[in-house]
Amino acid sequence: GSSAGVGATQRSADRPAIPSHPPAAQPWYAMGNSTKPRGIRCARKLTIRRRTQLWADKDYKKAHLGTRYKCNPFGGTSHAKGIVVEKIGIEAKQP
């Protein structure tokens, strides 16, 4: 007999190193590493999840937070000549 230990990993010459068949495909319910629900009645849950996850997108957040109007001194209106501090009435000259 051989004096190899219990955990010896010796490959015999008649056994191939590569398996002759490809690994079995995953079943339909174990597709990927997804944590999202995949049911027929999960539309509301997916919609709410998408709504909350959208805020992680930088461009979406910039477009939808509304800070461009709050921080803008013109408040999103068309540009004037300046911010009116005091209204001055221009009088007509007397003849």
Side-chain angles (χ1 to χ4, degrees):
S2 97
S3 63
V6 177
T9 54
Q10 287 183 342
R11 211 179 296 131
S12 60
D14 55 13
R15 195 168 46 146
I18 301 168
S20 58
H21 61 282
Q26 289 182 335
W28 62 270
Y29 53 83
M31 294 178 71
N33 224 356
S34 178
T35 58
K36 293 187 287 187
R38 292 179 181 270
I40 199 168
R41 294 180 179 88
C42 66
R44 183 187 297 127
K45 190 160 194 170
L46 286 171
T47 308
I48 293 168
R49 180 191 172 93
R50 169 65 17 224
R51 193 185 305 149
T52 56
Q53 296 295 320
L54 261 175
W55 289 101
D57 186 12
K58 200 166 105 178
D59 295 327
Y60 178 86
K61 194 165 193 168
K62 185 177 178 182
H64 290 84
L65 257 183
T67 51
R68 68 169 59 173
Y69 300 116
K70 296 175 192 170
C71 300
N72 192 353
F74 291 121
T77 60
S78 58
H79 291 279
K81 286 185 178 178
I83 300 171
V84 177
V85 178
E86 181 185 353
K87 287 206 172 193
I88 303 168
I90 299 171
E91 298 172 2
K93 289 182 181 176
Q94 294 295 324

